[in-house]
Amino acid sequence: MQNRMMITGAGSGLGREIALRWAREGWQLALSDVSEPGLQETLKLVREAGGDGFTQRCDVRDYSQLTAFAQACEVKLGGIDVIVNNAGVASGGFFSELSLEDWDWQIAINLMGVVKGCKAFLPLLEQSKGKIINIASMAALMQGPAMSNYNVAKAGVVALSESLLVELAQQEVGVHVVCPSFFQTNLLDSFRGPTPAMKAQVGKLLESSPISAADIADYIYQQVAAGEFMILPHEQGRMAWAIKQKNPQLIYNEMTTMADKMRAKARPTNG
């Protein structure tokens, strides 16, 4: 392990905080995002934190951009030890309101972006006996209402990670999947949904989180070092997952109540 890490979606939010957490350990970071200004800011902060690296604009929907990014890692860093498939977008809306375009957009970035990231970098990880860290969401495990396309994409990331965990064990490539709940982030900048009310509700959940992206990055760092496969940074998330494993119906009932409340809130009131 030569301490070389690749991160997608590194221009802001959790991707940036993961870069900074590993930079403090002196790592070399290959940073990608669709936002050039965000990447430059992250690289500046990485250097201030004690790391170094390079940036390359990359849209995870385009496999050729990811393979070019992998080649750049080979040329500039001599390979890669850890990849973090973090790039993602938010969306919401009840199933009846979501268009098929909403589904295509969500799956293309949040699921297939991770598949393509793993595929493009696997040859380098096999050489270094490195690690894959896929960023999913508690939505993958809890399937909250009014976000079915997001839930499905993130559940796919968990299923992919479970598949790779067992398939890549022989090649000594480690796999981790992270399922954060809502946290303070700029995810709403990319939010796509049929109603403004839905965006406002998600915004409130993000703001009310007791835990920041930096806290989550630190938790990921510790759990990866401990060899934990499924990383659940939120205490409430860990509790909810434990309940669902024992008594799924309890969670389904809770989510049904939540869906009713969301529908009631989204309805226009007659003044």
Side-chain angles (χ1 to χ4, degrees):
M1 209 63 36
Q2 293 180 38
N3 298 359
R4 303 159 300 186
M5 174 184 260
M6 174 286 269
I7 307 170
T8 65
S12 62
L14 183 58
R16 174 177 287 172
E17 294 300 340
I18 290 170
L20 295 180
R21 182 63 189 85
W22 266 263
R24 290 203 290 278
E25 310 299 323
W27 280 53
Q28 294 283 311
L29 296 149
L31 307 166
S32 80
D33 201 288
V34 289
S35 163
E36 290 274 13
L39 280 176
Q40 294 313 315
E41 179 65 17
T42 300
L43 184 59
K44 178 171 149 288
L45 293 168
V46 156
R47 286 175 174 155
E48 286 168 7
D52 201 3
F54 73 96
T55 66
Q56 186 156 319
R57 189 186 180 283
C58 180
D59 184 333
V60 297
R61 289 174 291 188
D62 185 342
Y63 185 61
S64 66
Q65 289 185 31
L66 281 160
T67 53
F69 187 35
Q71 284 166 351
C73 289
E74 197 166 16
V75 170
K76 295 179 180 184
L77 305 179
I80 209 80
D81 301 291
V82 178
I83 68 166
V84 184
N85 289 304
N86 165 73
V89 289
S91 65
F94 285 103
F95 182 76
S96 57
E97 303 164 333
L98 292 169
S99 68
L100 290 177
E101 287 73 23
D102 291 331
W103 276 89
D104 288 343
W105 176 75
Q106 181 57 239
I107 300 287
I109 299 170
N110 282 7
L111 176 54
M112 289 310 297
V114 177
V115 171
K116 290 170 183 175
C118 290
K119 190 90 177 150
F121 279 84
L122 185 56
L124 294 180
L125 292 171
E126 287 177 334
Q127 284 171 26
S128 66
K129 301 198 185 313
K131 290 181 170 62
I132 293 168
I133 303 173
N134 290 331
I135 308 298
S137 166
M138 278 308 293
L141 307 177
M142 289 292 133
Q143 289 87 38
M147 46 200 289
S148 56
N149 58 348
Y150 186 79
N151 294 340
V152 168
K154 292 297 190 177
V157 173
V158 171
L160 169 70
S161 304
E162 289 176 333
S163 304
L164 295 178
L165 176 72
V166 296
E167 284 190 27
L168 300 178
Q170 201 176 10
Q171 286 94 307
E172 295 175 65
V173 173
V175 181
H176 308 268
V177 65
V178 184
C179 296
S181 304
F182 289 107
F183 60 95
Q184 293 146 17
T185 177
N186 63 336
L187 200 59
L188 275 192
D189 295 351
S190 67
F191 185 90
R192 202 183 269 196
T195 61
M198 196 63 70
K199 183 169 181 174
Q201 285 184 45
V202 173
K204 276 187 190 151
L205 287 166
L206 295 175
E207 281 165 23
S208 66
S209 169
I211 169 170
S212 68
D215 297 329
I216 291 171
D218 189 54
Y219 189 81
I220 295 168
Y221 183 86
Q222 293 166 23
Q223 295 296 300
V224 167
E228 194 66 41
F229 165 66
M230 186 176 281
I231 299 172
L232 309 179
H234 289 70
E235 192 180 352
Q236 275 182 309
R238 294 193 287 277
M239 284 160 49
W241 179 228
I243 291 167
K244 188 174 178 183
Q245 286 174 294
K246 288 190 183 74
N247 189 344
Q249 194 60 49
L250 266 182
I251 298 293
Y252 301 147
N253 294 346
E254 180 68 28
M255 293 297 180
T256 304
T257 305
M258 196 192 291
D260 292 342
K261 283 182 184 164
M262 288 172 90
R263 277 205 182 84
K265 270 190 190 169
R267 263 186 223 118
T269 51
N270 297 320

